Amino acid sequence: MDAATLTYDTLRFGEFEDFPETSDPVWILGKEFNALTERDDILSDVTSRLWFTYRKNFQPIGGTGPTSDTGWGCMLRCGQMILGQALVCRHLGRDWRWDKGQRQRDAYVSLLNAFIDKKDSCYSIHQIAQMGVGEGKSIGQWYGPNTVAQVLKKLAMFDRWSRQVVHVAMDNTVVIEDISSRTFANLLSSDPYCGPLWRPLVLLIPLRLGLTDINEAYIETLKQCFMLPQSLGVIGGKPNSAHYFIGYVGEELIYLDPHTTQPSVEPSDDGQVHDDTYHCQHPPCRMHICELDPSIAAGFFCKTEDEFDDWCMRIRRLSCNRGSLPMFELVESQPSHMVSVDVLNLTPDFPDSDRLERFFDSEDEEFEILSL
């Protein structure tokens, strides 16, 4: 029996560790909770996050490829989860809650259908795996945080419903000028006074916080990222597995684990989805922060320009904190030593993927494929 199936069995038999009773504040994606008095609220918030796991018996990827992603798709599923959270914030709001067994809002149904395991779903495992071929990754090959961030950026170009920008900040540097040039769009309008409009921003920042282990000087800064109201969490993991980290309590990270193999789900004729298996209905997993692999990607969502300006202000304040190192640099314009990916002339065909490899895949060899 493989590790993923074992995880599924423990889920069914209720062997997950309960959430701790502690006076330490609990932070989940920018929201603070009290574990002693708000336990139900914590679990409701966690359950409302989209939980994408291994699936089996879906349409063959590419027509003749794998029908399950067990053993290789965990980072792809984590990419789906962090982007799914961005879409929840975009279309439903951060405070939206999932009601089990209730007919869901149309926006929720449309959102979930974007991730269903079918070739024509915008962010399906099929689309992510096939788009990864352009990044030099064969179907069934394991991704690192960098690669999945770049693939999501490309897929977002075809998402006409959400009309948001996925920006991947490279070299541990967020360039405000680059973001502004991508998030403002001149929309066709009969009003001559209607100028550029801000498009919602998904900011993904691939980072390396140490050589083989996380540098403890980054730990407090990493915690503070989960406290920001724009937080989408972190994708990363530890040897042999990838996780979607959504918060922390004390010295433990809180995460959703994709290592559960579940049957694929087919939407009904009206698009409704039996969605129980897309929400984690047990206490979230936890691990000590020092166990985190140093290669991660942090995510943030700014629906408006004001929210981005607020994020910049908060990041500048964090960089002034004594006793901790900033995880990345925030600058107004591109430093002369940086190479913009725009000069590589990215198009939907992405013929220059070989030249992009050294920018996007530097961390992949640090992760191992989950043994079956």
Side-chain angles (χ1 to χ4, degrees):
M1 185 177 293
D2 61 45
T5 304
L6 286 171
T7 303
Y8 189 34
D9 285 344
T10 57
L11 182 155
R12 287 185 299 167
F13 289 104
E15 296 177 5
F16 281 91
E17 183 180 357
D18 205 351
F19 206 79
E21 294 186 3
T22 175
S23 59
D24 290 332
V26 178
W27 283 95
I28 298 176
L29 301 175
K31 300 287 185 180
E32 183 180 9
F33 297 93
N34 185 316
L36 299 176
T37 62
E38 299 178 296
R39 182 180 180 278
D40 289 345
D41 293 333
I42 293 171
L43 297 180
S44 174
D45 194 24
V46 171
T47 300
S48 297
R49 301 314 108 211
L50 291 176
W51 182 44
F52 296 116
T53 71
Y54 291 147
R55 295 276 171 174
K56 62 182 180 180
N57 301 327
F58 49 65
Q59 299 170 354
I61 296 177
T64 58
T67 58
S68 172
D69 61 312
T70 299
W72 59 270
C74 54
M75 183 58 80
L76 284 71
R77 297 300 186 178
C78 290
Q80 287 182 319
M81 284 191 273
I82 198 169
L83 187 65
Q85 177 59 23
L87 293 181
V88 167
C89 293
R90 167 77 172 91
H91 298 288
L92 301 170
R94 171 62 182 87
D95 294 329
W96 170 82
R97 293 294 181 267
W98 176 67
D99 292 323
K100 181 177 180 180
Q102 301 299 313
R103 185 175 180 87
Q104 304 296 334
R105 291 161 54 178
D106 289 345
Y108 169 83
V109 174
S110 296
L111 194 162
L112 192 54
N113 270 279
F115 294 91
I116 293 294
D117 299 314
K118 301 175 66 175
K119 63 180 181 180
D120 55 352
S121 296
C122 188
Y123 301 111
S124 67
I125 192 76
H126 299 66
Q127 293 284 359
I128 297 176
Q130 291 186 285
M131 187 64 79
V133 173
E135 295 292 337
K137 298 292 183 181
S138 59
I139 294 174
Q141 187 174 357
W142 209 89
Y143 286 16
N146 263 349
T147 304
V148 76
Q150 293 297 333
V151 168
L152 293 175
K153 173 183 175 180
K154 295 175 182 178
L155 290 176
M157 298 177 187
F158 303 97
D159 184 357
R160 305 303 181 193
W161 176 53
S162 297
R163 297 191 61 83
Q164 62 186 12
V165 173
V166 175
H167 178 77
V168 182
M170 300 306 297
D171 294 335
N172 297 350
T173 305
V174 177
V175 182
I176 296 175
E177 186 178 75
D178 284 353
I179 290 174
S180 296
S181 67
R182 289 170 172 80
T183 51
F184 280 106
N186 283 301
L187 303 181
L188 295 177
S189 172
S190 58
D191 183 355
Y193 298 102
C194 182
L197 299 177
W198 174 274
R199 288 189 292 167
L201 168 68
V202 179
L203 175 59
L204 300 177
I205 312 174
L207 299 165
R208 189 165 191 88
L209 306 181
L211 295 177
T212 57
D213 300 301
I214 186 172
N215 186 330
E216 293 186 2
Y218 292 115
I219 288 179
E220 288 306 313
T221 309
L222 178 59
K223 287 181 178 180
Q224 289 164 353
C225 282
F226 291 110
M227 299 166 66
L228 298 176
Q230 300 87 353
S231 175
L232 291 177
V234 168
I235 55 175
K238 54 187 177 180
N240 296 327
S241 59
H243 304 308
Y244 173 40
F245 298 94
I246 58 174
Y248 78 95
V249 54
E251 298 303 311
E252 291 184 316
L253 294 174
I254 301 168
Y255 66 92
L256 297 179
D257 188 350
H259 300 92
T260 292
T261 301
Q262 303 184 88
S264 62
V265 174
E266 283 287 333
S268 60
D269 292 340
D270 62 356
Q272 291 288 325
V273 177
H274 183 69
D275 60 349
D276 281 11
T277 62
Y278 289 99
H279 295 274
C280 184
Q281 300 174 60
H282 57 75
C285 302
R286 306 189 311 278
M287 61 175 264
H288 196 281
I289 197 167
C290 289
E291 297 177 27
L292 181 68
D293 189 280
S295 290
I296 66 170
F300 304 93
F301 177 75
C302 302
K303 188 172 183 177
T304 66
E305 185 181 8
D306 286 344
E307 289 183 9
F308 178 64
D309 291 342
D310 178 76
W311 180 84
C312 290
M313 178 193 68
R314 293 172 184 270
I315 293 300
R316 291 189 179 103
R317 287 179 180 173
L318 289 181
S319 66
C320 297
N321 287 354
R322 295 181 178 180
S324 60
L325 289 177
M327 298 192 302
F328 54 87
E329 186 178 7
L330 178 66
V331 298
E332 289 289 340
S333 58
Q334 190 173 87
S336 58
H337 69 274
M338 289 182 62
V339 178
S340 172
V341 294
D342 286 346
V343 303
L344 300 178
N345 297 318
L346 282 180
T347 69
D349 294 328
F350 307 106
D352 295 320
S353 60
D354 291 342
R355 289 191 287 152
L356 293 173
E357 190 74 20
R358 66 189 183 92
F359 290 99
F360 301 154
D361 287 336
S362 60
E363 91 293 343
D364 286 359
E365 67 275 9
E366 301 298 330
F367 292 85
E368 301 175 18
I369 297 176
L370 181 66
S371 300
L372 296 180

